Amino acid sequence: MTQFDLTDDQRAIQDMARKFTADAITPNAARWDEDHHFPRDVVKAAAELGFGAIYVSEESGGIGLGRMESALIMEAMAYGCPSTSAFISIHNMAAWMIDRFGGDAVKAKYLADLVPCEKIASYCLTEPGSGSDAAALKTKAVRDGDHYVVTGAKAFISGGGENDLYVTMVRTGEDGPKGISCLVIEKDMPGVSFGAQEKKLGWRSQPTAQVNFDGVRVPVENLLGKEGEGFKIAMAGLDGGRLNIGACSLGGAQRCLDEALRYTAERRQFGQRILDFQNTQFVLADMETELQAARMLLYTAAAKVTAGAHDRTKFAAMAKRLATDTGSAVVDRALQLHGGYGYLQDYPIERFYRDLRVHRILEGTNEIMRVIIAREMMRQ
């Protein structure tokens, strides 16, 4: 990205993602939500465009793009369905972690199937007893010869029960972050099981379940990085994941802003279009201004994460906090502009209202984002 605009290549990527969304996602998203349908075929179709391995290296079969391009793709797909876009983001995060931190054996074993989404990966950090306090996780991995024996459980896992691989943070050492390691665990390994599918407010087009590990034997070669580096690896993954989830909020909010502009131009009250009331124009102007401000911060953070800038974590946290809060606020005002119709499933607004709400919780709650930002400020 140049200082004030996208490059020609970035615009081409954005246009491709928008066309894919218009053709494959937007016409079907309401049905997926209503039927709780997971569109695995559409995920694979997205992977045919390279969207299953956006920042996996070209050497490993990915398309080797940066976090800016990833944000553009996620934002474009979220215009049709934030739930599906976020699901693809999580797969990308897990695949990148394997490519970035895995040894030759684990990369050779899994990436050839992950890139085309023949297999799909989940990210497993949160536990029933440790949400925001991620470093307190209890899932244990004990070395036994050429394997780790893993026992514990992970909660709220996107793709739980459906996905093939689980990039899992486990405790191999002392309490706290330094005792955490990262293992790739397969769905079909003996001892892996899943809880019932969660009944959720939103994100209904993707499966979510608890993942249980009961004495699961995982080859040592499935370790990412070294023992004790798992928390650092998990946080590195989240820098990019937070950008993507922020981008999903931007895409969903942009859709609702466009819908509100269209609706207020068509509906008449008191003898004129709702759009012609100055109050309506003020609300729309604020929605546009706040959305653009959040977008510019997110794009800046994406450039910093791609470049490995020293303040990348702070900017990723700030961008995630602002984009997800702003996204929810924009959708709320779009619903208000629709009046009672915005509350009905006949219009897409209520689905986006439900889908975007969880973005302020996952990939680190927005309260934790503030903790990260303040901590980084105090280090300066």
Side-chain angles (χ1 to χ4, degrees):
M1 184 180 181
T2 62
Q3 186 173 3
F4 298 113
D5 205 357
L6 303 179
T7 66
D8 290 343
D9 285 347
Q10 288 168 341
R11 287 196 178 280
I13 291 165
Q14 185 181 56
D15 288 344
M16 180 171 63
R18 285 174 172 172
K19 184 179 188 306
F20 174 77
T21 299
D23 293 342
I25 297 179
T26 303
N28 303 305
R31 176 176 56 82
W32 296 341
D33 175 79
E34 185 173 358
D35 296 343
H36 297 246
H37 172 72
F38 171 51
R40 188 163 188 142
D41 58 331
V42 174
V43 174
K44 289 182 68 174
E48 291 176 6
L49 301 176
F51 297 168
I54 297 167
Y55 34 84
V56 169
S57 64
E58 293 183 74
E59 293 79 8
S60 295
I63 57 176
L65 297 178
R67 303 312 173 109
M68 180 67 203
E69 290 78 14
S70 178
L72 293 174
I73 293 165
M74 296 304 158
E75 183 179 350
M77 291 194 294
Y79 192 90
C81 181
S83 170
T84 302
S85 183
F87 184 89
I88 294 172
S89 164
I90 293 166
H91 168 81
N92 270 273
M93 177 168 63
W96 173 80
M97 291 168 69
I98 293 173
D99 182 41
R100 173 67 178 80
F101 299 104
D104 291 341
V106 71
K107 288 197 285 187
K109 192 188 302 186
Y110 297 124
L111 284 174
D113 289 326
L114 290 175
V115 168
C117 287
E118 293 295 335
K119 291 184 177 178
I120 305 178
S122 292
Y123 174 91
C124 299
L125 176 63
T126 300
E127 296 185 359
S130 63
S132 292
D133 187 10
L137 66 85
K138 301 294 185 185
T139 296
K140 193 171 185 179
V142 178
R143 180 76 178 261
D144 181 24
D146 294 333
H147 290 78
Y148 289 99
V149 180
V150 181
T151 303
K154 297 293 179 177
F156 307 123
I157 302 305
S158 290
E162 176 73 29
N163 285 358
D164 308 281
L165 298 176
Y166 298 85
V167 178
T168 306
M169 301 333 123
V170 297
R171 185 161 303 284
T172 53
E174 62 189 76
D175 290 343
K178 293 182 180 179
I180 295 172
S181 300
C182 182
L183 292 173
V184 181
I185 302 178
E186 298 175 16
K187 174 182 180 179
D188 295 328
M189 286 177 173
V192 177
S193 64
F194 305 94
Q197 287 297 312
E198 305 290 359
K199 299 177 180 179
K200 298 169 293 185
L201 175 71
W203 275 28
R204 293 178 178 176
S205 74
Q206 58 165 281
T208 304
Q210 181 166 304
V211 183
N212 305 307
F213 307 104
D214 183 11
V216 181
R217 295 185 65 84
V218 182
V220 169
E221 67 183 19
N222 282 25
L223 178 72
L224 301 187
K226 299 176 182 177
E227 277 198 13
E229 293 182 345
F231 193 76
K232 180 179 70 174
I233 292 170
M235 295 303 105
L238 285 177
D239 276 347
R242 286 167 181 159
L243 297 176
N244 284 348
I245 213 66
C248 288
S249 281
L250 296 177
Q254 185 66 59
R255 169 71 178 282
C256 291
L257 175 54
D258 291 349
E259 294 285 344
L261 191 61
R262 183 181 305 112
Y263 179 82
T264 55
E266 294 172 352
R267 185 165 171 80
R268 302 182 69 85
Q269 293 283 272
F270 303 103
Q272 64 184 40
R273 300 185 306 168
I274 295 176
L275 182 59
D276 293 327
F277 289 101
Q278 193 174 59
N279 179 70
T280 303
Q281 295 170 12
F282 284 179
V283 172
L284 290 167
D286 284 347
M287 292 161 72
E288 171 73 2
T289 301
E290 293 164 21
L291 196 56
Q292 290 291 0
R295 182 176 284 120
M296 290 303 101
L297 178 59
L298 188 113
Y299 288 2
T300 298
K304 285 180 176 288
V305 171
T306 298
H310 73 280
D311 54 358
R312 63 188 180 278
T313 295
K314 181 179 77 171
F315 269 79
M318 290 193 299
K320 190 267 183 184
R321 201 289 297 167
L322 185 63
T324 56
D325 279 348
T326 300
S328 287
V330 167
V331 174
D332 182 73
R333 280 175 283 181
L335 193 154
Q336 191 73 14
L337 287 172
H338 278 71
Y341 290 106
Y343 205 68
L344 303 181
Q345 291 184 1
D346 302 275
Y347 292 80
I349 305 297
E350 63 84 32
R351 171 167 57 86
F352 284 88
Y353 188 94
R354 291 185 287 105
D355 277 350
L356 263 60
R357 180 59 184 87
V358 75
H359 295 186
R360 290 153 58 191
I361 298 172
L362 51 81
E363 310 285 25
T365 66
N366 283 6
E367 290 74 20
I368 291 296
M369 295 305 97
R370 292 175 171 91
V371 170
I372 292 169
I373 295 161
R375 182 184 66 206
E376 295 298 317
M377 291 170 64
M378 289 185 288
R379 286 178 178 172
Q380 293 175 353

